[in-house]
Amino acid sequence: TLLPRDVDGEAPRDASVKAAVAHVEQHYAEKLRQIDVARTCGMNSCQFSRAFKFVYGMTYRDYLIRFRVSRACRLLRRRALSHRCGDGVGFEDPSHFARAFRRLLGVSPSAYQRKKPPLRPKIEPRRRTYPAIGLGVRATPPPPKSASIVLDP
């Protein structure tokens, strides 16, 4: 998926960061600067950046771009014009929108629209493993190693 799963945490910063995500979900089509969103959470930009990355495993900017691209996918499924989708979800520059879309999904917005959705994203969110020190985040086990079969001639 484009967006990380919600994290169940108990720390006050988790609540502040979740408030920032709620703000992004409501105002994603507007210009959202990190410093302004941090102020709505009662943090400075550096505190917010560290807290956001800790809770979601990605930067605020990466989250915002992923969220906007996911909203653009909805518009494209409704057959909106691909060159107008970027503007409708908060990208000011159409070429920036197209580059971000292609980087996340592996196809251009117009190619995505031509292929009948649902089209699954090619990038999975990074999974982080935390030591068990009461951070409120579950540690994820490493993926199983795949076995290869070698046939002798």
Side-chain angles (χ1 to χ4, degrees):
T1 62
L2 285 175
L3 302 173
R5 291 189 179 127
D6 199 16
V7 178
D8 292 328
E10 300 175 10
R13 71 174 164 203
D14 292 355
S16 295
V17 170
K18 287 183 181 183
V21 168
H23 183 76
V24 166
E25 289 174 357
Q26 292 175 352
H27 303 282
Y28 64 91
E30 302 168 13
K31 186 172 185 172
L32 292 173
R33 296 183 325 154
Q34 179 174 322
I35 192 164
D36 297 331
V37 176
R39 284 185 189 142
T40 64
C41 299
M43 296 183 198
N44 67 36
S45 184
C46 292
Q47 291 170 329
F48 177 73
S49 179
R50 285 190 302 268
F52 197 95
K53 181 133 186 176
F54 179 79
V55 173
Y56 285 100
M58 66 177 64
T59 65
Y60 164 76
R61 179 174 162 76
D62 287 342
Y63 181 86
L64 180 61
I65 289 171
R66 286 173 179 257
F67 188 83
R68 286 176 170 169
V69 167
S70 71
R71 292 298 184 202
C73 288
R74 287 184 179 181
L75 291 175
L76 290 169
R77 286 185 201 130
R78 294 182 185 140
R79 301 297 178 211
L81 296 173
S82 62
H83 62 277
R84 291 193 178 196
C85 281
D87 188 45
V89 296
F91 286 96
E92 294 178 6
D93 182 21
S95 64
H96 180 234
F97 166 64
R99 281 192 315 271
F101 195 97
R102 186 183 309 265
R103 183 174 44 89
L104 289 174
L105 297 176
V107 295
S108 68
S110 56
Y112 178 87
Q113 193 172 36
R114 279 192 303 268
K115 294 183 180 186
K116 303 271 181 177
L119 182 68
R120 296 284 182 207
K122 293 184 178 181
I123 297 176
E124 288 293 322
R126 182 177 70 169
R127 297 196 183 261
R128 300 187 74 170
T129 304
Y130 298 103
I133 55 174
L135 296 178
V137 180
R138 293 183 190 159
T140 58
K145 294 182 180 178
S146 60
S148 60
I149 300 173
V150 178
L151 299 175
D152 293 327

